[in-house]
Amino acid sequence: MQNVTLLDKYEQNAFQKEVKYLKSLDKNRLLKGFCEIAGREMDAEKYGGWETSAIQGHTLGHYITAVAQAYASSGDEELKAITDYMISVLKECQNANGYLHAIPEKHYDKLEIGDTTDTWVPWYSMHKVLAGLIDVYTFTGNEDALDIASKLGNWVYSHTSKWTEETQKTVLNIEYGGMNDCLYNLYKYTKNENHLSAAHSFDEMSLFEPLFEGKDILNGKHANTTIPKIIGALNRYTVTNEDFYLKVAENFWDIVINNHTYITGGNSEWEHFGEPKVLDAERTNCNCETCNTYNMLKLSRTLFKVTGNKKYCDYYENTFINAILSSQNPQTGMTTYFQPMATGYFKVYSSPYDHFWCCTGSGMENFSKLSDSIYFYGADALFVNRYTSSKIDWKEKGLTITQNADLPTVKFTINGNAEGKIVLRVPDWCKDTPTVTINGEPHFIEIKNGFIILEKEWNDGDIVEFTMNMQITVHPLPDNENSVSFKYGPWVLSADMGNENMTTDVTGVNVTIPNPCDNMSDVLVIEKDTVENWLSNINNNLVKWENELKFTLKGTDRELIFSPHYKQHTNRYGIYFKFVMRNA
């Protein structure tokens, strides 16, 4: 991330809002619970919401990851000072046996005998802390962070090494986040076999084996409990090269995308997967938990690095724009828990200092790493994954490349002199063959596996222009072909449904959700055509405004205005509509 500079104004604002929020949080209030467990004085009061529950401490893990990522992205020394201070306090709080957390150590002992009294998901919360420590070392180079993580990994091993098969089954029956994933990451640094062994203790073979066989066994499973387990399986593959774990991850990804995913890239209803390809029937005000999306992008990113398959990049682009960028209020910087797929609801955002949901934490991480995964590189090739205005310092080649994205055209300006390959992804939304010019001259292109490879001796001042064809596309749901959504290029479109009666309710553990509004039907009546014909002529029935990314719906009983969903923040909206014929 330190080699990439964001130039896109929308993303710059999103990052700045996130950094402002991170700096506004009181470090000592986040550390208070850790100090209490360690018997150390800290003149501060713990935050409320989830931070005064049995999951307290999880926010600190997300927070130090986010601050470290923001430092890597910006070089802001104030951010590094925050992580340095917090690591120094955590070092003092770490028990001699390696234990470190804001919840009592006995919670882990209780869990091993199936006693969940007064506890919640201790291993889930531990994952956030351990992952945060590793990220601080990765992004800031703080050696104490790695030392604390290593000792904490030893403490984890002291538990897992004593587990019987039955104990393991009991423990893994309670949400444990990505404990396998973060321990594999720790092992990559320490090469401590105990850390590798501990990681494998969290590999849930009873889940992995049917997925390896390609079976969709997700119905009823808690989505954000399941996805991190698969990220861990894929991480094991990167460590041990065992093909079984790669196949598990590939099959899981295909199953989720093909059977359980909405147009935005999000999934689930009230945090759970449903029956395969049953999506229209599960559109409510509690779809698409943001943590699920965060984790699906982590999985997709690594799958692309491992396989080079373009489909992971296509999903990444779509989901980053339409679910992640969509999850932040650009005025406040606050983020969503759910994003409703039912028509007529609206986005609800966390409060700065009262909720501390899981999605508040993953939201911190999402918007502190916006420069991540725009580019990938390997050997002598630079892959362009996301088309967004940015600058990449390609140190391996001594080249600086500035991307100016004004879709459907993207311009790359090269500074420096070196031979190399610039690899352009042809997005799945690009209709017909794109065009490329180099210094204004048409360039013959060959598309291989969905990529265009431009290989030459680059000269200072070279300009590459890449132009794609964008059209409106129709995306029906598998359980109702007349329940459809629309995209224009990479952007999911949603209709503005007004701001009447914007009241909220609470579900689960203090999660705020939007209430419905009367007269918010998702049925649209086509006046003078069949549904099939009307949809097949969508580029004439959803008419783009002259100089603005807005579209007017024509030929139905309501003239709705659609625009990119990620910019729909304050009003009720509709993504999916059910189209019927007049007098059908």
Side-chain angles (χ1 to χ4, degrees), residues 256-296:
V256 171
I257 302 309
N258 295 330
N259 297 349
H260 301 277
T261 297
Y262 290 98
I263 186 62
T264 59
N267 60 62
S268 76
E269 196 282 321
W270 217 95
E271 303 186 0
H272 288 73
F273 291 119
E275 295 181 18
K277 295 187 181 298
V278 176
L279 292 167
D280 189 50
E282 293 205 337
R283 292 193 296 116
T284 70
N285 56 343
C286 293
N287 296 118
C288 301
E289 181 186 357
T290 306
C291 281
N292 298 352
T293 309
Y294 158 89
N295 278 312
M296 284 301 295

Side-chain angles (χ1 to χ4, degrees), residues 394-413:
W394 189 6
K395 292 182 181 295
E396 292 75 14
K397 288 292 182 181
L399 296 175
T400 298
I401 301 173
T402 301
Q403 177 185 172
N404 182 6
D406 186 15
L407 294 178
T409 297
V410 185
K411 182 171 77 172
F412 300 92
T413 302

Side-chain angles (χ1 to χ4, degrees), residues 17 68 169 176 306 318 364 404 463-464 479 482 485 525 573:
K17 287 290 192 298
K169 183 179 179 181
Y176 55 87
V306 167
N318 178 75
M364 294 177 189
N404 182 6
I463 293 176
V464 175
D479 51 332
N482 288 347
S485 58
V525 180
Y573 62 79

Side-chain angles (χ1 to χ4, degrees), residues 523-535:
V523 176
L524 290 173
V525 180
I526 296 174
E527 300 287 3
K528 298 179 180 179
D529 209 342
T530 66
V531 174
E532 183 179 6
N533 287 343
W534 189 91
L535 290 174

Side-chain angles (χ1 to χ4, degrees), residues 28 37 55 59 127 137-138 142 171 180 266 306 327 465 558 576 582:
N28 291 336
I37 296 299
I55 200 176
T59 301
H127 161 236
Y137 173 71
T138 300
N142 188 310
V171 172
N180 51 354
V306 167
S327 71
E465 288 199 358
R558 281 182 284 167
Y576 286 99
R582 175 71 69 188

Side-chain angles (χ1 to χ4, degrees), residues 246-494:
L246 173 58
K247 192 65 176 177
V248 167
E250 290 177 319
N251 286 351
F252 174 81
W253 191 93
D254 286 339
I255 289 167
V256 171
I257 302 309
N258 295 330
N259 297 349
H260 301 277
T261 297
Y262 290 98
I263 186 62
T264 59
N267 60 62
S268 76
E269 196 282 321
W270 217 95
E271 303 186 0
H272 288 73
F273 291 119
E275 295 181 18
K277 295 187 181 298
V278 176
L279 292 167
D280 189 50
E282 293 205 337
R283 292 193 296 116
T284 70
N285 56 343
C286 293
N287 296 118
C288 301
E289 181 186 357
T290 306
C291 281
N292 298 352
T293 309
Y294 158 89
N295 278 312
M296 284 301 295
L297 288 186
K298 285 184 71 173
L299 180 63
S300 302
R301 180 184 192 277
T302 305
L303 279 168
F304 172 65
K305 291 202 295 179
V306 167
T307 69
N309 193 316
K310 185 182 79 80
K311 67 181 180 181
Y312 302 119
C313 292
D314 287 332
Y315 173 80
Y316 196 103
E317 176 192 55
N318 178 75
T319 307
F320 174 82
I321 294 171
N322 300 302
I324 296 300
L325 282 186
S326 177
S327 71
Q328 188 202 53
N329 185 322
Q331 278 76 47
T332 67
M334 295 298 97
T335 51
T336 61
Y337 194 109
F338 294 119
Q339 290 195 47
M341 290 296 106
T343 298
Y345 287 98
F346 56 95
K347 299 173 187 176
V348 175
Y349 303 96
S350 62
S351 61
Y353 311 118
D354 299 315
H355 287 117
F356 295 103
W357 304 322
C358 53
C359 295
T360 306
S362 57
M364 294 177 189
E365 294 189 39
N366 285 331
F367 290 94
S368 58
K369 61 174 182 179
L370 296 178
S371 57
D372 178 56
S373 299
I374 299 174
Y375 305 95
F376 292 87
Y377 72 93
D380 63 344
L382 181 76
F383 290 77
V384 184
N385 177 38
R386 287 207 298 118
Y387 295 112
T388 185
S389 295
S390 54
K391 183 169 69 174
I392 171 77
D393 185 6
W394 189 6
K395 292 182 181 295
E396 292 75 14
K397 288 292 182 181
L399 296 175
T400 298
I401 301 173
T402 301
Q403 177 185 172
N404 182 6
D406 186 15
L407 294 178
T409 297
V410 185
K411 182 171 77 172
F412 300 92
T413 302
I414 290 87
N415 293 110
N417 298 279
E419 185 177 355
K421 298 176 185 176
I422 298 176
V423 183
L424 305 177
R425 176 179 59 91
V426 180
D428 56 357
W429 49 261
C430 177
K431 304 305 174 185
D432 304 323
T433 302
T435 62
V436 172
T437 66
I438 298 179
N439 298 326
E441 295 295 325
H443 184 79
F444 172 77
I445 61 173
E446 181 180 357
I447 300 175
K448 184 177 181 181
N449 298 322
F451 294 100
I452 295 170
I453 301 174
L454 305 177
E455 183 175 11
K456 68 184 291 287
E457 179 76 34
W458 298 102
N459 297 310
D460 191 59
D462 279 348
I463 293 176
V464 175
E465 288 199 358
F466 179 45
T467 302
M468 298 159 277
N469 182 11
M470 294 197 300
Q471 297 179 14
I472 296 170
T473 52
V474 178
H475 301 265
L477 287 171
D479 51 332
N480 185 349
E481 64 179 9
N482 288 347
S483 186
V484 304
S485 58
F486 306 112
K487 285 182 71 178
Y488 180 68
W491 300 298
V492 170
L493 302 178
S494 64

Side-chain angles (χ1 to χ4, degrees), residues 7 89 136 443:
L7 300 177
V89 175
V136 170
H443 184 79

